[in-house]
Amino acid sequence: MRRLLTLVFAALAASLPAARGAEPGAYAYPVRGVAGLHAASFGEIRPGHFHAGIDIKTDGAEGKELAAVADGYVSRIVVTPGGYGRALYLALRDGRTAVYGHLQRFRDDIEERLRSERYARRANDVDLHFAAGEYPVRRGDLVGYSGNSGASMGPHLHFELREGRTQRRCNILREGHFRPADDLPPRIVRIHYIEIDTLDGIAVEAPAESYAAVRTAEGRYRLTRNEPVGIGRRGYFVVEATDRRNGVHNTFGIWRLTASIDGEPYFEYRMECFAPEAARCCDAVSRYGLQLRTRNEAIRLAQAEGAPDCFYRLAKERGLVRTDAGRQRRIRIEAEDDMGNRSSLEFTVEGRAEEFRARREPGSIALRHDRAGSAAIGHEATARIPAGALYASCYCHPERREAPAAVEGAAVLSPAYRMLDAATPLRHPMTVSIRAEVPRALQLRAALARRTAKGDIAFVGGHYAGGTVTAATRATGELFVVADTLPPVVRPLFAEEADLGGEPALRFRVGDNLAGIAACRMTIDGAWVPCDRFPMRGTLVHFFDTPATRRRHTVRLTVTDAVGNTARWEGSFYR
């Protein structure tokens, strides 16, 4: 009978159309035994991507039971050090996919399947797909346990809903499925005005003019200045805002921003849902250079050339505000969170007589967002930028700059080259090549690196060939050639020949100075065993999966970084 039901259910699941959206309350809550507080909202602007789901607090603990939100089957599991770490995917009967991220472990039968697949493949990282009849679930069934794996800063569940065929990420709270306590309207922190001029069809921006906002009543704000804001003939505003919820100290993203001038709406941004390929477009929605420096969201009230239409319900003249000299107009901006709380800011603008006039800097290069382009500094450095990589056409001015100071274990082998300004985001990677004199002994360890806003060195990647180091990268700002000469650091978190009979795992501290860890391999008594790496905690763990034998064991661990430096450790323990 069970076999028959499984086959019938599999046939139904396979024939389902793409989801149109479920009724509010159609889904069970994905975590059992928690307070229901959230740590992040859908569509928050993160470094390089929109947050694709919601983060549910697990009361500071791991191991909370995770429940299937609806009938379906386990279609996929992924185990990787970064991203969602241990992640589980449910194909739901309504055609959607539910994603559970940062798990501690899967339910027992799936965990056993994972174990056998890892040993068969001799692979720590796996991506397994399952047919409809293998792991069917009913609404409320146990599917796993919450954790802190992958790129997680603390115990929680990352949860997503995706449409079936398109895999568009869905705004769960706006659909009304879960209702965290929230009667707090967004906070409008400040606005910024950017005047623009056009040279050869390319918009050139003046420096931003910033104005602080203060709250006058719940959900109502005004600017700290009383006189009108002076604006030019063409320009746009940026709103710097954030949101709060009851019972937590976390900040959340803005769901909707609208703007009107003299009572007529001219702009609306809305974070409803987005396709996977639009995830990086947060760098077009935001004022990128400002977003890098603030803890708030800095959202442009203007649509960039390369920004997808899906985020904009309204963008008259792409959000540009036009005002004649001496004319006063009234601007109203409204911010709304995904629970329907709203805040507003109103102020007067006045057209000024003097206009911003852009001037093309000598040696600058015009780059069009819809065409391939390149920038070079002689034969020393070249950047090739594919069509569609830029969110907006711009001018760049390649510069050679002083090389940064070397850090321990890393040799800096070229000057720094700024091909694109650090405040210029890229949707697709550009290819950067830098010529450098690299000693033969360092050629296999050579790569590109960048200087961070704090002046530190961050690894980019790439390889050396024929006197040039080349990398595909979205990193802008100052790039240069480095050679990483230090192997990773490996330190056991147990004493030599320690008795681990009562321990669930074998644990190590692992880290790297620059390139980052790329691979790990562990054997016990000469036989390969799986290990899990937790980069946010700097640990590597083998969870014991065989009974204790009360004897001495030999363990060997090899850790390799992204340029091939290798560390080897050998020791023993009793279990």
Side-chain angles (χ1 to χ4, degrees), residues 94 98 101 118 121 212 269 288 296 324 379 392 488 514:
D94 65 8
R118 291 176 102 179
R121 301 167 187 230
Y269 160 81
Y288 181 69
N296 308 309
D324 296 330
H379 298 291
L514 180 61

Side-chain angles (χ1 to χ4, degrees), residues 46-100:
R46 299 285 181 86
H49 68 280
F50 287 115
H51 189 232
I54 59 174
D55 287 350
I56 300 173
K57 289 177 175 283
T58 54
D59 302 340
E62 297 186 41
K64 298 291 185 178
E65 292 184 345
L66 303 179
V69 293
D71 294 355
Y73 66 92
V74 179
S75 60
R76 181 186 181 196
I77 61 170
V78 176
V79 176
T80 182
Y84 297 160
R86 288 191 173 217
L88 180 140
Y89 296 70
L90 295 183
L92 305 180
R93 291 191 65 184
D94 65 8
R96 288 183 165 187
T97 300
V99 182
Y100 300 68

Side-chain angles (χ1 to χ4, degrees), residues 288 420-426 430 450-451 474-479:
Y288 181 69
L420 293 176
D421 188 89
T424 302
L426 291 176
M430 62 180 175
R450 64 181 178 89
R451 197 195 315 253
R474 291 188 180 91
T476 54
E478 296 182 18
L479 302 172

Side-chain angles (χ1 to χ4, degrees), residues 174-295:
R174 285 303 306 177
E175 293 183 359
H177 301 302
F178 311 134
R179 303 290 297 179
D182 182 7
D183 59 8
L184 304 176
R187 180 187 174 203
I188 299 175
V189 179
R190 61 183 62 87
I191 62 164
H192 310 267
Y193 175 71
I194 297 96
E195 189 174 356
I196 67 169
D197 190 20
T198 302
L199 289 177
D200 299 324
I202 295 178
V204 180
E205 298 183 347
E209 304 167 43
S210 303
Y211 306 94
V214 293
R215 190 177 69 172
T216 59
E218 187 74 359
R220 295 182 62 184
Y221 288 80
R222 66 169 179 84
L223 298 183
T224 55
R225 57 181 285 150
N226 294 318
E227 60 271 24
V229 172
I231 64 174
R233 299 291 177 89
R234 287 191 304 163
Y236 67 92
F237 288 97
V238 174
V239 176
E240 197 173 339
T242 189
D243 190 42
R244 297 276 186 176
R245 287 197 183 144
N246 302 72
V248 296
H249 296 290
N250 307 77
T251 59
F252 299 85
I254 302 300
W255 171 64
R256 177 172 169 264
L257 271 174
T258 62
S260 63
I261 186 163
D262 296 335
E264 183 176 345
Y266 76 89
F267 183 86
E268 181 179 352
Y269 160 81
R270 189 180 292 198
M271 177 44 67
E272 205 73 81
C273 60
F274 58 87
E277 61 270 17
R280 294 199 63 86
C281 294
C282 65
D283 294 337
V285 164
S286 69
R287 169 78 172 178
Y288 181 69
L290 175 60
Q291 187 65 54
L292 295 176
R293 305 190 303 270
T294 181
R295 294 183 178 182

Side-chain angles (χ1 to χ4, degrees), residues 379-451:
H379 298 291
E380 300 174 47
T382 303
R384 297 176 180 83
I385 303 145
L390 293 166
Y391 290 106
S393 303
C394 65
Y395 288 99
C396 72
H397 189 269
E399 289 183 312
R400 181 193 305 106
R401 296 189 170 184
E402 183 179 348
V407 297
E408 182 182 1
V412 177
L413 302 174
S414 79
Y417 297 92
R418 190 193 70 173
M419 312 307 290
L420 293 176
D421 188 89
T424 302
L426 291 176
R427 183 172 186 175
H428 307 299
M430 62 180 175
T431 301
V432 177
S433 298
I434 297 177
R435 297 193 64 82
E437 293 289 336
V438 181
R440 180 179 295 273
L442 298 180
Q443 290 176 3
L444 292 178
R445 306 290 183 257
L448 295 188
R450 64 181 178 89
R451 197 195 315 253

